[in-house]
Amino acid sequence: MGGSLAGLLAAHVLADHADRVTVVERDRFPDGDGSRPGVPQGRHPHVLLQGGQVALESLLPGFLAELRAAGAPKVGMPSDMVLWQNGRWLRRLPATTHIYTGSRAQLEELVRRRVLANPVVDVLEGTDAVGLLGDAARVRGVLLRDRSAGSGAEPRALEADLVVDASGSGTKAPRWLSAIGAESPPEETIDTGLAYASRVYRGRSGALDGETLGYYVYPGPDQVHGGGALPLEDGSHLVIVSGLRGDEPPTDDDEFEAYTKRLAHPLLDRWLDDAEPLSPAFGYRRTANVRRRYDLPGRRPAGFLATGDALCTFNPIYGQGMAIAAMSAVALRDALADRRRMPTTRRVQQALLTASRQAWDISAGADRAMPGATGTAVTAGPADRLAGWYLGRVTVRSAGDPVVGRAFRSVLTLSAPVTALFAPPVVRAVLFRPPGPTPAEPPTAPEQPGS
């Protein structure tokens, strides 16, 4: 259920284990890489983190070469960006990781083309899933309705040995499970009330070109406004600004530009003075972290799995969603291929949750510290507070210390476990050395190796 990245990649994995895999998608797929209504964040910035790149290449060999050939910008971090966090400009040290910043529509279209080329995978477009077949012991399929038939049309049954919910953050599966006598999962939530707005621009000054590909000001507890400009595949830049509940960025075009003045530095505002807008401003406000705990004991039917945002939704400002969709598909593949253990529904669901755990810890940990955060998982225990204290020191030192910065970026991009932050050289720098010097003004060029 769901034909976005999580659903497509799950279908790709399941095609090695089934006679037929059917992807049910409520939208009609566009010709080429156009955006879809079913991807509400499609007009906003997306980044593909290093962990997601590794996962996608493992699932679809040669994919990164296709992405580069399509023009997706590959941005070295921190060398290619002017970055501000916690009151400091980051040194533009040689890149230790890379992100891709092209449009979500482009990346999804490349994945869709690869996955749907498999004759085992069918797709039902323009079709709503409206319920589950089965009972508390086992899910046996889904109820479907053609969207063109109207809401009064009788649903039809599609029987299945396994149903995967990849329908996104708006999933109705918990309610449908209750309707067949199973238990809906407990939910953990953290909501800062963050909202953001985005608009496409083409620069005229050349300031975002060559050695500087983009800007970004990270929000934090002491500076709640964030924003920046990230390069797209056609040479334009997608500009984003964000604020918290009660101070949401406007979607009026003139007010959108005025809102950039709330950032900690006028760098982005100055660039917009000489940039050409190419689109209206679009807003987005559904940014709560939500984790559905299907892994916990309860009346959980066999034959049903949740993945992607239907399992764990992150505040999109941290750019983790696409990476976790791919990493979850790898977890699904590995769980099904493990000859040592029977891939029961619960065991595979636990593997999917584990794939998203580090991203949850990062997003939830950062959002707990934001003023006004609400939800069932906001309260931090003693271990969380100690980890928060340590990570606060890591964050401050990452701006100017190459060793700490490398470890910090590897964890944030999901390419290394959190234990990388506790390697002896990192611990020594975090606990026993003061923060290193950082630029007083936005650094206009990357540092040369050894400088």
Side-chain angles (χ1 to χ4, degrees):
M1 299 187 292
S4 289
L5 287 178
L8 289 169
L9 293 172
H12 173 73
V13 169
L14 293 171
D16 288 337
H17 300 270
D19 297 322
R20 182 180 64 184
V21 179
T22 302
V23 177
V24 178
E25 170 52 47
R26 70 191 310 270
D27 285 340
R28 296 280 177 185
F29 290 129
D31 293 329
D33 59 1
S35 60
R36 296 190 291 114
V39 185
Q41 300 156 246
R43 295 186 177 95
H44 300 283
H46 282 75
V47 298
L48 181 61
L49 304 176
Q50 191 89 37
Q53 296 168 38
V54 172
L56 271 170
E57 188 67 18
S58 173
L59 295 163
L60 304 171
F63 181 81
L64 294 181
E66 291 183 19
L67 192 60
R68 289 192 295 272
K74 184 179 181 182
V75 179
M77 302 291 283
S79 59
D80 294 340
M81 294 278 290
V82 175
L83 301 167
W84 186 96
Q85 186 173 27
N86 282 3
R88 298 178 138 219
W89 295 105
L90 273 66
R91 291 177 58 189
R92 293 180 63 178
L93 297 161
T96 59
T97 188
H98 292 80
I99 60 174
Y100 284 93
T101 63
S103 66
R104 162 67 180 261
Q106 180 195 60
L107 187 142
E108 188 174 295
E109 194 273 334
L110 291 174
V111 171
R112 185 167 62 240
R113 186 192 310 165
R114 290 281 296 270
V115 172
L116 299 186
N118 188 334
V120 174
V121 180
D122 297 330
V123 62
L124 297 175
E125 299 177 61
T127 303
D128 279 323
V130 295
L132 297 173
L133 300 172
D135 51 38
R138 171 169 284 278
V139 169
R140 295 183 171 86
V142 292
L143 291 170
L144 303 177
R145 181 182 290 126
D146 190 315
R147 300 196 76 199
S148 64
S151 58
E154 281 295 314
R156 59 188 174 90
L158 175 64
E159 295 184 354
D161 297 300
L162 174 67
V163 172
V164 178
D165 180 16
S167 59
S169 59
T171 176
K172 298 180 177 63
R175 190 172 71 205
W176 297 340
L177 287 167
S178 296
I180 62 172
E183 283 186 65
S184 60
E187 291 188 354
E188 299 169 327
T189 61
I190 301 174
D191 186 4
T192 65
L194 182 139
Y196 55 87
S198 305
R199 193 181 186 192
V200 180
Y201 287 82
R202 189 177 301 279
R204 293 170 173 157
S205 66
L208 293 184
D209 200 1
E211 293 185 318
T212 300
L213 300 183
Y215 306 141
Y216 206 82
V217 171
Y218 292 99
D222 299 323
Q223 162 55 39
V224 298
H225 297 100
L230 296 174
L232 294 174
E233 58 269 17
D234 63 357
S236 63
H237 280 76
L238 190 49
V239 173
I240 180 174
V241 286
S242 67
L244 297 186
R245 187 184 295 110
D247 188 21
E248 296 89 350
T251 54
D252 174 87
D253 293 343
D254 291 336
E255 292 181 11
F256 173 88
E257 294 191 6
Y259 195 90
T260 63
K261 298 181 186 300
R262 305 186 189 204
L263 300 186
H265 191 278
L267 186 68
L268 181 62
D269 182 50
R270 291 171 183 168
W271 182 77
L272 288 179
D273 284 342
D274 194 39
E276 174 191 6
L278 301 181
S279 79
F282 296 95
Y284 191 76
R285 297 190 179 188
R286 292 176 55 187
T287 61
N289 303 278
V290 182
R291 182 160 64 169
R292 299 173 180 88
R293 298 302 303 269
Y294 286 104
D295 60 306
L296 297 178
R299 294 195 308 277
R300 309 270 180 254
F304 176 86
L305 296 171
T307 190
D309 281 357
L311 175 62
C312 195
T313 305
F314 313 99
N315 186 337
I317 208 75
Y318 302 113
Q320 301 164 317
M322 296 197 302
I324 292 302
M327 294 169 73
S328 296
V330 170
L332 176 64
R333 180 195 66 188
D334 294 348
L336 296 178
D338 188 350
R339 296 182 180 274
R340 299 167 299 171
R341 297 187 294 178
M342 175 70 70
T344 63
T345 298
R346 186 177 180 189
R347 184 168 289 149
V348 177
Q349 189 65 80
Q350 287 173 330
L352 290 169
L353 190 83
T354 298
S356 64
R357 182 165 293 140
Q358 180 166 318
W360 172 267
D361 289 343
I362 292 169
S363 183
D367 279 1
R368 280 192 188 101
M370 294 297 284
T374 62
T376 63
V378 168
T379 303
D384 293 323
R385 289 193 290 272
L386 180 60
W389 173 83
Y390 183 81
L391 290 175
R393 294 177 68 89
V394 169
T395 303
V396 169
R397 284 154 180 79
S398 67
D401 187 305
V403 173
V404 178
R406 175 189 287 271
F408 190 50
R409 286 187 293 277
S410 71
V411 171
L412 291 182
T413 58
L414 308 176
S415 57
V418 174
T419 52
L421 299 179
F422 298 93
V426 179
V427 171
R428 285 195 294 270
V430 170
L431 296 183
F432 304 115
R433 288 207 298 266
T438 54
E441 293 294 328
T444 58
E447 294 185 22
Q448 296 304 310
S451 63

